Amino acid sequence: MASRPACSVAVVTVLFLLIFPCFSRAQTLSVPFRQPETCGQDQYFDISALSCVRCGAHQRQDARGTSCVCIPGFQMIANNGGPDIICKKCPENMTGVTKDGWNCISCPGSLTEEGKCHCPTGHILVERDVNGTVLSQAICKLCDENENSFTVANALGNRCIRCEPTFINTSRSCACSEPNILTGGLCFSSTRDFPPRGISTARYGELVYANLTSCQALGNMCVMNMNSYDSATFDACRLFQFVFENTAGLRTVHSVSFWRQNLPWLFYGDQLGLAPQVLSATPLPTNFSFKGQTQNTKMKFVAASYDVRGNFIKWQTVEGGVLQLCPDTERRLNAAYSFGTTYQQNCEIPISKILTDFPTPVFYDVYLEYTDENQHRYIWAVPVLNLNLQHNKIFVNKDSNSGKWLLTRRIFLVDALSGRENDLGSQPRLVRVATQISLSIHLVPNTKNGNIYPPLITIAYSDIDIKDPNSQSVKISFSVTYEMNQGDAHVQTDIALGVLGALAVLSSLLKTAGWKRRIGSPMIDLQTVMKFLVYYAGDLANVFFIITVGTGLYWLIFFKAQKSISVLLPVPAQENRFVTYVACAFALKALQFLHKLISQITIDIFFIDWERPKGKVLKAVEGEGGVRSAIVPVSIWRTYFVANEWNEIQTVRKINPLFQVFTVLFLLEVVGFKNLALMDSSSSLSRSPPSYIAPYSRILRYAVCTALWLVIGIIQIVFFAVFYERFIEDKIRQFVDLCCMSNISVFLLSHKCFGYYIHGRSVHGHADTNMEEMNLNLKREAENLCSQRGLVPNTEGQTFQIAISDQMRQHYDRIHETLTKKNGPARLLSPSASTFEQSIKAYHTMNKFLGSFIDHVHKEMDYFIKDKLLLERILGVEFMEPMEKSIFYNDEGYSFSSVLYYGNEATLLIYDLLFFCVVDLACQNFILAAFLTYLQQEIFRFIRNTVGQKNLASKTLVDQRFLI
C-alpha cells in the first residue's frame, strides 16, 4: 500500500466525525457501471473502484487489464505505486527494456511482445553486474538449484536468489511440491492451518506492497468470518478494520466514505442509526412501471465476483441463478428479478451436490444497474444484512430495531474451504451455506413514478457438520418481497372503522328500540342488553365486510391496473390485520345468521279458516241404531294444502345456491380469475406452465372471491326479480293468491306484539267447491263481477304489518296455551278422548277468535288500518304504540317474507360469501371452500326445514304427517 505520513488517532477520529454525519445529506451510493472489457487499450480497470482509469502517456494496459505498463520501446522513469508510472522512449541502439522496465538494454536474442529480452527455458536474464550497473547487453545464465546453493530466479527472472526459507525448511529444495501448500509466495507444510498463515500473508502484502489482490483476499477472509468484529480477538475482520483505520490518508472511491482506495468495500460503518439512513434516505434515481411506453419491470442486478485469493473474476448479471442455489429453469429463476413479482423458492439440496458445485467460495459485490436520462449506465451498491454477523459477540442484525443494524456489502453462497483440515483436497469437516436469502424492495412513500429505495439483501448462513454427504441435505430458500409504508392505509382503515362503527351503534340502538316497542316492554333489562349486542354484532359484521371488500378491491384494482407504480401489495405479515377483520366479519355475521334462524323457527303462526258449513246432513248415531241431522263438516284439506305451501317456501331464496357456488368455482378455476390473486403485475387470466407462478396474496384472493360472488349473486337477484318472478314463477305472490283461493288467512307473530297478516278470505264466500264453480269464480273475478280481495272493501291490500295491543296478545296466549298442551301426531293417537276434544275445541276457539277479531267483533280489542310514514318505513320502527286498539299497516312489499329465507337474502348471501372466504384463506383451496360452503348451506337448510316444520305443526295443529 502506498506510504503515507503517520496519522494520530485524533486525526483519524476527526476524519470519521467529519465524514459520517454528512452521509444522509450529500453522499450517494450510485456508481457508473464499467466492465473490464470496456476499458480502452490506454485504460486499466481499477478492481477496487470498479471503474476504468486512463493510463499515462506512452502507456497501455497490462496483461490482466488491471494496471498500466510502458509500451514497447519505452522505459519507466518513475513509479508511484500500482498504475501510477512515467515512461520515456529508449535510444535507437537499445531496442529492449529491462524486466523491471526501468532501463533500456540491448538483448542477446529475441524480444517479447512487451519489448523485454527473452532467454531460453531454464535461464535467467542478467541485466546488471554485481554493483547493480546496467549492462550494455543482457546475458542469459542458469541458476544453481543444488543443495549447496538453493538459488532460483527471482520474481522478475533477472537474478539468482536463495529460495524463500519456508521452501527450504519444508521441502529442502526450491520447489514446494505436494502435499505441501503454496500460498502467498510461501510454502507451508500440510500439517499447519491455512487461515492464520493466509491472514499473515495478506496483511504483509497489503501493508507493505499495497497489493490490491491481497486487500481483496483479506476482505474475503473477513466475509467468511461473517463480517463479525470482536475487539478482544485479532482475526481477519479486526485486521481489516485496523488497516482501514490506518489508511485514513488515502482518498475514497467515488466519494463513498466507506470505500477506501485499494480496499474492498465491506462495511457501511458501525455507527448506530446509520442503517436506516442507507436504506431510506436517498431513493434510487430510476423508476419502474408496469405498462405504457415507459414500461420498466426488469431489475438489472449485476455482481462483481472475486475468487478466494482476491482475484477479480468478472462482472456478471445475477440472472440464471447466480445467487439462487435451488435448481430450476432459467425462465423461472429470472422471474425473481421482475419488478412487482413476489418470489418464493424453496428446495432441499444434497450436501454432495453442494460440495461438487462449490469446491471453493466465490464472493459477490451486488449492484443494481440503471440508466439515467442520458442513457448513461450506472450501478447502485446493494446493502447486505447478514443475520450471522456478531459485533462484540452480539447478533445485532437480528434486532427488530433497524437502528442497531450493521450493514455489509460482500456475500458468498457456500464456503467449503474453511472447514478443510490439513489437506485442502480433503473432504471438509464443516460447510457453511447461505440457507436463506431474501431481497426486499421498499417503495418510496407517496411516489407516483415507481421510485424505490435501495434494495436490501438479507442473508442467513447455516453450518452443516459433514458426516455422510450422500445422505445429508440442507433446506434452501430464496425470496423477493416488495413493501411499502402501510401507515396511511391503516389510519384510513381505522377512520372508516370508527365512523362506520359509530353508525352501527346508532343503527343497533334504533333496532333495539323498535324491538322493545314490538314486544310491548318499556323496561331495559338483561334481555334488552343481549338483544342490542346481537343487533350490534350484525351491523358490525356489515362494517367489517364493507371495509374488507373495499380494501381488497382497492389493492386489486390499483395494483393490477396501475401503469406507473404507486402502490405495492402488503406483505404476508401486513395481511394479518386484514385477515383478522375478515374473521371478525364472519364470526359476527354467523351470530346474526343464527339469531335470525332461531327467530324464524320460533314464530307464532295460525291459519284462519273462513269456510263455513254448507248445511246439514243425516248422520248415523253409534249405539242408538238411528240417525240424526248434523252440520256438514268443513274440509281440513285446504288448511293442510296451505300449510304445505308455507312449509315449502320457508327456505326459498332469490338465488340458486348450487348455481352460485358452481359458477364462482368455474370462473376461479377454469376461466382463471384466480390468477388475478397472484402477487405479480400481470392482469392476465392465464399463465403458461413453464413460467413462474407467484404466491397468492390473501387480500387479492379475498377481493377476487368477493367480487365474483357479489356480481354473480346480484345478477341472480336481478334476474329473479325482473324476469323469473314476472314471467315464470313468484312463489310469494302465489302463496298469497293460494290463501285467497283457499279461503284461509295467515296470522303471524314474529314478536310478542308485532307480526304480519295475510288476508285470504275468499270474495266468493266458499272455496270448498267443485272444479266448475271454481273456474266460474275465477272468471267472475277476472271480469270484475265481484268485490276485490282486500281487507278493506274495494281495495287490493291483502298483506299487512300488524301491531297488536297487549290485551289482544294476552287473549291470544290464553287460547294458545290450551292449543299447545299436546301437539303433533301423538295427540291424534292419544287414548284420552277428552284431551283431543279439548285441543279441537281450542283450535276452533282460536279460529273463531281471530276471525271475529278481523271482523271487528271485539270492540275492546279492535284495530284500525293505516299507511306507514316514510320515515317509519326507512327506519323500520313504528312511532305509534298500540295501546287500546291494534294497528294494521298496509304492506304492499310482502314484508312477511322476513320470517323466511326469502326476505333475508342479503344476510344469507354475505354469510355464505364470508364462509367461503374464511375457508379459502385458511386452506388456500377454492374447491374445498366451495364444497364446504355448499355443504353448510344444505345443513342449515335441512335444520330450517325440519325445525320450522315442527314449529308449524305445533302452532297450527296441522298434523306433521301431512306436511310433505
Side-chain angles (χ1 to χ4, degrees), residues 285-358:
T286 186
N287 52 63
F288 296 89
S289 58
F290 288 155
K291 300 177 179 66
Q293 297 180 350
T294 59
Q295 180 179 0
N296 179 21
T297 59
K298 202 65 178 177
M299 295 185 294
K300 300 177 182 178
F301 287 97
V302 294
S305 54
Y306 302 83
D307 64 16
V308 70
R309 294 177 175 82
N311 295 312
F312 177 79
I313 301 176
K314 62 179 178 179
W315 276 110
Q316 61 186 129
T317 176
V318 298
E319 291 186 342
V322 172
L323 301 180
Q324 297 155 272
L325 292 175
C326 294
D328 209 333
T329 63
E330 184 173 355
R331 183 174 181 181
R332 291 177 180 173
L333 290 172
N334 294 343
Y337 310 109
S338 177
F339 191 87
T341 299
T342 299
Y343 189 88
Q344 184 67 50
Q345 186 187 43
N346 299 282
C347 66
E348 191 167 351
I349 304 178
I351 295 297
S352 58
K353 178 175 173 57
I354 290 180
L355 296 178
T356 302
D357 295 344
F358 300 93

Side-chain angles (χ1 to χ4, degrees), residues 730-741:
D730 185 348
K731 291 188 176 182
I732 301 301
R733 293 179 182 273
Q734 288 178 351
F735 178 77
V736 176
D737 291 339
L738 175 65
C739 290
C740 188
M741 297 304 299

